[in-house]
Structure formats: C-alpha cells, structure tokens
Amino acid sequence: MKFTLSWLKTHLNTDADLPTILKGLTNIGLEVEGVENPAEKLGAFRIAKVLTAERHPQADKLQVLTVDAGDGALQVVCGAPNARAGLVGVFGTEGAVVPVNGMVLKKTAIRGVESNGMMCSFRELELGEDHDGIIELGADAPVGQVYAEWAGLDDPVIDVSITPNRQDCMGVRGIARDLAAAGLGTLNALIVPTIEAAGPGPDVRIEDADGCPAFFARTVRGVKNGSSPEWMAKQLKAIGQKPISTLVDITNYIMTDLGRPLHVYDMATLKGGLVARHGRPGEQVLALNGKTYAIDDSMTVIADDEAVHDIGGIMGGEHSGAQDGTTDVLIECAYFTPERIAVTGQKLGLTSDARGRFERGVDPAFLDDGLSIATYLVTHLCGGSASEATRAGNPPVVAKTVTYDPAQCLALAGVDVADAEQKRILESLGFAVEGHDATFEYQDGVPVTTPATWTVTVPSWRRDVDGWPDIVEEVVRIVGLDQVPSTPLPRAPGVAKPTATPEQAIERRVRRTAAARGLAEAINWSFISEKEAAAVGGGAWTLANPISEDLKVMRPSLLPGLLSAARRNVDRGAASVRLFELGRRYQADKERATVGFVLAGEKLARGWQTGKAQPFTAFDAKGEVTALLAAAGAPVANLQSFGEASGAYHPGQSGTLRLGPKTVLAEFGVLHPSLARQFGLTGTVVAGEIFLDAIPAKRANGFMRAPYAPPALQAVKRDFAFLVDEAVEADALVRAVRNADKKAIVDARLFDVFVGPGVDEGKKSLAVEITLQPGEKSFAQEELDAISAAVVKAAAKLGGTLRG
C-alpha cells in the first residue's frame, strides 16, 4: 500500500515530521517497507532556458543548443523535435544520474560537437510516459532553481505492508485514522456531498445474491472525459499508477484514498440493464489488461442483455470501459462476497487492486457514501447531470457488539492502560463504547469493587474484530507494540525438564550427524510437480488449489527436491555435491518422517596420490545410511541387507536395510540413470532415504542409563578368511560369525574381499575380523579354540570353508 505524505495529510491534521510518522506506523503494526522521495534523485536537474538553437553540422535530426541553467551559457546537443530558442525546460547538469536508466551525465562529444549535460523529457525523469520531446515549462519558471523544489515534488512516498486482517487500512483514510488514534494528529471529517439528482436511476439488478449482495449505481449524462486534474494525476503517478483519463482516474483515486473500489461503464456500449449474476459455461470476457478469460458458473459477473462486461469485483471489461469520447456513464458501487472473489481470482490467476480489497472485505456500509463521492467528482471534473441512485439488494451490514472489561487488557497483554485512555483509543478507531466504569463502595461495611463492563460496538469496516481479545489487541496496538513488557515465564525449581519430544531429539541427532559427516542441509518445498512425483512412484495427494502447476503434488519422496537442488549446484560449478534433507513424505495413510541425501560429482578430486577424480559408489551411500541410522538409535548391528530397493535406484547397485524381512528402515544405492537424466544430472549419482518412522521406539523403562564401565581386560582380535560362493552376501556371513558366540564376540567386520589366483572359479574369499572381549579373566587357549570352532561352524552353514 503506497501513498504520499501530502496525501496522508489530506485526512490527518498533524504537525508530525516524516520520521515520527514512520515510527508511529511501525509501532501500531503497520510495517513500513520503504520510503522514497522523488525530489532526492532530481536534485541535480534544474530549470533552464534555451538561448539559441542551431542545426548540428553533422546530423540533420540533432540541434546544438545554448542553454542557461543559472550558471552561464552551456552548449548542449539535443535531438528533441520541440527544442527551440526561448523554450524553458529541465536541464541535467554534468554528474547528474538520469532516473530512467541510471546513466551518469558527463561532458562528451556527439558527432564531433561538445555537449554538456542534457535537456530532459518526462519519461527520462520518471515523471510520466511522454518521450516525444523535452519538458516545456511556462516562461515564468525561475531559471536556475532545482526543478523538483519548484514543481513541488518534495513529497515522500511511503510503502506500508498491510496484513490480511486489516482491510480498513487498504485506504489512506484508514491509515490516517490509526495514526490519529495513536496521538499523531486528528482525523479530518469526511464530508459526503449531497447529489442533486435528475431523473430515475439506472436499470441494475441482482440474480446472484451470494456473490453480490448489493449493487448500487448512478448514471451521469453529458460528461466530457479527458486528462485528470494535475493534483489527482500527481498523486496517482507518485504511487506508481499511470493516469489514463479523468473517469478512470477517479475510480483509482477513490480506491486508494478510501479503500472503496468502483467501476465506470460507457453506457453507449451497454445493451439493456446490468445484472449481477452467475457466469455461464462458454462465456468469455476481454478484461482491461488485454487478456481474455473463460467464465464458469462459480463466478459472479456483471452483464447486460448480450454479454459479460465485468468479472465482478476483480476487473472490468475492455469493451465497456470509459473512453475519450464517452459522454454517458454508469457508476457501479457494489459489494462482492470476499470468499467468492478469492475463488474466482484463484481460478483465473487474476490479481488486481480491486480484488485485493474485496477479498479482504470492504466496508459494506460505505456504498451510498462511496457512490455519492464518486458522482460528485465525475460531475465536477467532467460535467454532466446525475440521476437518482438505484439500490439493488442489501449490503451485509450487521451490528456486532462485544462485551469488554478494560481489566482484560492487563490480564491478556500485560499492558496497564487506564480505562479512560482505552475508551479514547477505541472511539478514535470508530468503535462505540457504552456501559459503566469500575466502581468501589462499601456494602454492609465491606469494601466491594465492581469491575467495569462495556458494550463495544464494532465499526462496519472492521470485520476482523470478533471478541474481546481483538479489542485488547486494538488497544495495545495503538498504545504501541513496543510498550508490551518482556516478562519471562516462571521457572520451576530444580533441573529443567527437556522440552523436545523423543522424535524431535532423534531428528536433532540425525541432523547433527549428517552435518558432521560433511553433508549440507537443504530445505525444499513439500510440493513437487506431477512429472517429478511420477518419477518416484507417484504421489497420493494432489492439491486442489496449488500455488503453481510445478508445486501441485505432495511429495512421496525427498529425492525429487534433493535432485533438483543438486542440479542447481552442479549448474553453478559445484564439483562435489553432498546434500541431505530432513522432512516428511506424504503417503496415502499419513505423513512420514524421513531423511534423504544425494551425493553427486566427485568423491575425491584428482591428485598425485589418487590419480583421476573418483566418483561416489553405492558403498558410500550405505556408509551414510548406516551412520545416520546409528544416530537415530536404530539397532544397526541387527539389520539385514536386502537388494530390493525401489525403482528409483539402479538394479544390482542398490539395496535396503531391514529389521526382519518386512520392516524397511532405509534404501540406498546408485540412482537409476534414467532418473538422473530426468533431473539433468550426469555421471554416477548415489542417494538414500532413511525412514525414521519405521525405527522401533525405545522402551520407556523408567530407569536411567547404566553408568559407563569400561572392561578391565583388553579385547582380543582374530582374523578368519572363508571361501564362499559368489552369490553369498558378505553381510550374511558377518552376521552369522557375530552370532556364533553372542557372549564373547562383541564385534565382527569384513575387511577383505578377494577373487583371483588361488580362489576357484565361482568362489570368493571373505576375510572377517572378530573382536573378543574377556570378562573377569583372560581367555584360556581352550576357550579361544572353542570360539574359533563355533565361528567356522557358523560359516559352514552358509557353505563357507576356512581358507588354508
């Protein structure tokens, strides 16, 4: 929401300077996003007079001017067709920055003729779209004076962020009302003119009362459209709106000034009366933005007997809009249901200033007054005579009252505001306050305090206020959000109890472990495109109203987002990409906590020790999965390795880790080449997903963890090499060896795989290191022999024989 300081002061009688107003806006919850003063960037542009104008000796379309900008004559080369001796215009001195393109003016030679500075057009100074010639000022304009000061452009433009619940501040008057309530001035009275009407009102009616409960209108005949007055055009241009014509500019001005959208129809284009009705399948409308929109029966439109002329409350049609030759107009001032506006705008993908206001909810009690103000401006600026007003339907004006005790302000917000001050604030904001104040008296010799009870009537323009907490918010907002004290919550004695749930604690450990292992965290959308979802098996949930077609499906896997992020990093020159994400997958039954990661590019850069750059392998993915599962508290030692990963992975170079044959805790491996290509990645890409929701929760036994007691005796290591069939998985052998003596063997790991000379065809050698931990005494040789025999026997069950 943009407005100028002078525009604000038409409603707010104040002596406050700009910094005070800006601070006041932020304090009352209207965040200032920016302030721009057009005069600041025009400080080096001065009023100048052209003394002479001669044809350029080397170019027919250029002239050599002698210009006086108050410091003596300067030579300037100019190509404007209206440049001539005696013209008074705007001159940019050497060193000035041209606003439209950022060009710094300097002394230069143009076609061999020296030029100092530039005579400027309105567009070059960003003061309009006129670029046909340089600016022409009156002969009495003071030569040498800064143009911005003389033209009154020293008027800061304030940009305020309006939250969705503050529909009343979508007009300059609403912002002025808030500032007046905060003590930064007084709100000027709004004078609603009385219209001298001649003749009956126009034929307007309603057939869709749900979408358009009220449709008020007047006609004005005999108008003369043209350029809007300078004061109006100046304010509209300052906030970034292009003046079009007086009739159109009036509606835009009132919309910004009072927050009341209107529309003006050229009656010569209408066939019969206007009706607010449902759209009909197959209907179309060419809107004012030059685009054609298809209408359906869920939308409210304004139509005559032959065609649709307006997408109700959002944008008018190009055919029936006011033109230069318009002589008779119909002024529409209607109320459209916010919910209908929102649905229609989303379906059409159409935004407008009117939609932004109707969607939040404009003041339903301001139809008559808004129509009268618009009619007054039309008749006084364009002439013509106005008809009576036609009032079709009834605006949804419902008196809303709230029972309120001023003591609730301190109880809820912690701010002690006197009752009288609360009443002043509420009445300044338009609330009506009735009821009795707090009383104190003695009853039968006992002191009795009766709390205040107010009945607060909510103004029609505040549809966001529903109960007494909203009243407290209004009081505190105007007092100043910076006045709310920072009060710590009481702390219970003793050691603070943990606040994180077991699931949150697991996620924290996993996140820290992934980061410690060199992975960078990515945070992606939970929505992906249908094509991306199909690549990983398809999504179970599709949004009915997505913010984009590329963000339509709730992700069934974290891989699409991570692969897209990896591609963006690779495209920007990253040689090695290591990303992880902790988020949710959305399955048909519920959402599931998941950790995903992607490793792409170089695992090791080329070097004199390693030679060529080395890519990631499936074993790197398994290593990450194992580490993250251990951080999550999964029983890693008991997990089984299976080869059936999903279709996203390369067959034979991927697998799953399971707790039993059915409970899949993770899948990992080399990404399927077709999937990698789909996301624009080349080379070997490995990935994995850990399903945190599948990890069994630890039993709550109510006891603290046993104290750490390191073994008194040193562990013993033994190596075994077994010949097994090539089809035997190393994981199965290691697990069998570890379980050969669960009491003595505390660890077993594979440290070598060999195929070659000395090993029969179809066989491989797997070398396993076992760790034996003695208890109260060292192992005797007989005990070691028995354990070795048990290990050999366990391997034999898988067809393994001890290699000699």
Side-chain angles (χ1 to χ4, degrees):
M1 173 70 187
K2 290 185 176 181
F3 56 92
T4 64
L5 181 60
S6 64
W7 197 338
L8 177 68
K9 289 186 176 181
T10 61
H11 292 281
L12 182 67
N13 184 9
T14 181
D15 294 326
D17 58 11
L18 179 63
T20 302
I21 290 175
L22 297 179
K23 182 179 180 181
L25 287 168
T26 300
N27 285 345
I28 62 178
L30 301 176
E31 181 183 358
V32 177
E33 291 195 330
V35 181
E36 181 180 349
N37 192 344
E40 293 178 355
K41 59 185 178 183
L42 299 179
F45 295 87
R46 294 186 288 173
I47 299 173
K49 183 175 182 179
V50 179
L51 304 178
T52 64
E54 303 292 340
R55 188 177 70 84
H56 193 290
Q58 302 298 329
D60 293 338
K61 293 184 178 181
L62 298 179
Q63 295 187 74
V64 181
L65 311 180
T66 304
V67 175
D68 178 15
D71 296 329
L74 292 171
Q75 181 173 284
V76 178
V77 176
C78 180
N82 63 331
R84 63 187 183 279
L87 180 145
V88 178
V90 180
F91 176 69
T93 60
E94 185 178 353
V97 179
V98 181
V100 73
N101 55 20
M103 180 177 68
V104 179
L105 299 179
K106 57 185 178 180
K107 184 184 296 185
T108 187
I110 301 177
R111 294 288 185 93
V113 176
E114 183 181 282
S115 180
N116 302 272
M118 182 176 73
M119 296 295 291
C120 303
S121 68
F122 281 108
R123 192 172 77 178
E124 287 162 340
L125 299 184
E126 292 186 334
L127 298 176
E129 295 299 317
D130 187 2
H131 193 56
D132 295 333
I134 57 178
I135 298 171
E136 294 192 40
L137 304 177
D140 58 345
V143 173
Q145 185 173 344
V146 175
Y147 171 68
E149 296 178 357
W150 175 81
L153 298 177
D154 188 11
D155 192 7
V157 179
I158 305 169
D159 188 4
V160 178
S161 175
I162 308 297
T163 53
N165 64 314
R166 293 304 309 280
Q167 68 281 344
D168 58 306
C169 286
M170 291 299 288
V172 178
R173 184 168 181 81
I175 295 173
R177 182 189 296 113
D178 270 17
L179 288 172
L184 291 182
T186 57
L187 185 67
N188 296 329
L190 180 64
I191 306 299
V192 179
T194 300
I195 303 301
E196 295 183 5
D203 176 16
V204 297
R205 64 188 190 278
I206 297 173
E207 293 180 0
D208 177 16
D210 292 334
C212 178
F215 186 177
F216 292 10
R218 260 199 180 100
T219 59
V220 182
R221 298 182 181 274
V223 303
K224 184 178 181 180
N225 200 11
S227 299
S228 55
E230 183 180 352
W231 65 268
M232 183 180 291
K234 176 184 173 183
Q235 295 289 19
L236 292 176
K237 285 190 289 187
I239 63 173
Q241 290 195 12
K242 179 183 177 181
I244 299 173
S245 67
T246 305
L247 291 172
V248 175
D249 294 348
I250 286 172
T251 62
N252 289 333
Y253 182 83
I254 293 176
M255 178 171 59
T256 304
D257 187 52
L258 301 173
R260 160 38 72 178
L262 303 125
H263 189 62
V264 174
Y265 298 87
D266 184 343
M267 293 186 64
T269 64
L270 302 180
K271 309 299 181 184
L274 288 179
V275 57
R277 61 167 172 82
H278 284 284
R280 296 165 183 165
E283 288 185 320
Q284 293 184 331
V285 59
L286 176 62
L288 288 171
N289 63 0
K291 297 181 180 180
T292 300
Y293 295 93
I295 305 300
D296 63 34
D297 57 6
S298 69
M299 304 174 185
T300 301
V301 300
I302 306 297
D304 61 10
D305 294 344
E306 295 185 358
V308 174
H309 292 287
D310 191 339
I311 305 171
I314 299 180
M315 189 171 289
E318 188 174 277
H319 171 68
S320 58
Q323 308 295 326
D324 289 342
T326 297
T327 58
D328 300 330
V329 296
L330 183 148
I331 306 172
E332 166 210 306
C333 185
Y335 181 88
F336 295 95
T337 305
E339 293 77 10
R340 181 70 62 82
I341 292 291
V343 171
T344 301
Q346 290 166 357
K347 277 189 175 182
L348 299 178
L350 178 59
T351 60
S352 67
D353 291 334
R355 174 190 168 184
R357 287 165 172 81
F358 278 123
E359 197 170 35
R360 295 167 185 246
V362 300
D363 183 2
F366 197 70
L367 271 71
D368 259 325
D369 291 348
L371 183 59
S372 295
I373 293 171
T375 305
Y376 170 82
L377 288 175
V378 169
T379 55
H380 279 71
L381 297 179
C382 301
S385 58
S387 72
E388 296 283 352
T390 300
R391 301 173 179 84
N394 296 297
V397 181
V398 180
K400 186 189 301 183
T401 59
V402 176
T403 301
Y404 178 64
D405 178 1
Q408 291 170 320
C409 182
L410 178 61
L412 180 63
V415 182
D416 192 3
V417 183
D419 293 6
E421 176 63 8
Q422 292 194 50
K423 186 174 183 180
R424 183 200 68 79
I425 289 172
L426 292 173
E427 290 178 343
S428 297
L429 292 173
F431 294 82
V433 180
E434 298 178 352
H436 64 81
D437 295 331
T439 60
F440 173 80
E441 62 179 332
Y442 289 97
Q443 295 181 2
D444 298 328
V446 179
V448 176
T449 301
T450 302
T453 302
W454 293 353
T455 299
V456 179
T457 302
V458 181
S460 57
W461 57 82
R462 293 303 302 272
R463 68 190 292 262
D464 59 305
V465 176
D466 289 321
W468 68 265
D470 297 321
I471 303 295
V472 171
E473 180 183 356
E474 290 302 296
V475 172
V476 173
R477 184 175 62 83
I478 298 302
V479 169
L481 298 176
D482 57 335
Q483 299 300 312
V484 178
S486 298
T487 305
L489 295 174
R491 179 176 176 177
V495 178
K497 295 181 179 180
T499 58
T501 65
E503 293 78 11
Q504 290 172 330
I506 290 173
E507 291 182 4
R508 288 178 183 176
R509 292 198 300 270
V510 170
R511 181 177 283 111
R512 290 172 180 171
T513 301
R517 294 179 63 83
L519 276 67
E521 184 173 11
I523 301 176
N524 295 303
W525 289 102
S526 296
F527 323 114
I528 58 177
S529 68
E530 289 182 308
K531 183 179 179 181
E532 291 173 334
V536 289
W541 299 96
T542 301
L543 301 182
N545 181 32
I547 59 176
S548 167
E549 281 298 313
D550 291 334
L551 299 172
K552 189 174 184 178
V553 180
M554 301 296 288
R555 62 185 180 190
S557 166
L558 270 60
L559 291 182
L562 286 168
L563 293 173
S564 296
R567 185 197 66 245
R568 289 193 294 271
N569 281 270
V570 171
D571 290 345
R572 286 157 178 78
S576 180
V577 177
R578 304 164 186 251
L579 298 176
F580 82 95
E581 182 176 11
L582 201 158
R584 300 291 186 271
R585 296 176 299 126
Y586 298 89
Q587 303 296 316
D589 54 347
K590 65 176 182 178
E591 59 183 72
R592 300 179 181 274
T594 306
V595 181
F597 65 86
V598 167
L599 308 176
E602 300 175 353
K603 174 186 177 182
L604 291 175
R606 63 179 182 173
W608 64 272
Q609 290 179 305
T610 57
K612 294 182 180 180
Q614 298 181 16
F616 292 99
T617 68
F619 294 107
D620 295 311
K622 185 176 182 181
E624 299 298 337
V625 164
T626 304
L628 297 180
L629 281 171
V636 175
N638 299 330
L639 299 183
Q640 298 174 263
S641 180
F642 287 79
E644 295 86 1
S646 68
Y649 296 92
H650 195 304
Q653 298 184 42
S654 58
T656 60
L657 288 179
R658 308 188 185 195
L659 191 61
K662 294 183 179 181
T663 306
V664 180
L665 300 191
E667 62 179 12
F668 61 90
V670 176
L671 205 66
H672 198 287
S674 63
L675 182 60
R677 285 194 300 270
Q678 181 174 331
F679 284 88
L681 294 170
T682 58
T684 301
V685 181
V686 305
E689 285 188 293
I690 298 99
F691 311 126
L692 297 179
D693 62 304
I695 299 175
K698 292 184 177 180
R699 295 180 180 178
N701 53 22
F703 294 98
M704 294 181 63
R705 182 169 50 189
Y708 174 63
L713 301 176
Q714 184 175 347
V716 179
K717 296 183 184 294
R718 289 288 185 270
D719 295 342
F720 297 83
F722 296 100
L723 291 174
V724 298
D725 293 337
E726 284 187 345
V728 175
E729 294 182 356
D731 178 71
L733 178 66
V734 172
R735 194 166 53 253
V737 167
R738 183 187 298 116
N739 293 331
D741 189 328
K742 295 182 180 180
K743 182 178 180 181
I745 301 175
V746 295
D747 190 23
R749 70 179 186 88
L750 180 75
F751 70 88
D752 184 56
V753 178
F754 178 74
V755 176
V759 176
D760 295 340
E761 186 76 21
K763 297 285 187 176
K764 62 183 176 182
S765 172
L766 301 179
V768 180
E769 176 191 80
I770 65 172
T771 302
L772 307 175
Q773 180 60 56
E776 297 179 355
K777 62 178 182 176
S778 299
F779 290 114
Q781 186 60 46
E782 294 79 7
E783 292 174 312
L784 293 176
D785 292 343
I787 295 172
S788 297
V791 169
V792 173
K793 183 178 180 180
K797 293 180 179 180
L798 297 176
T801 59
L802 192 64
R803 188 178 176 190

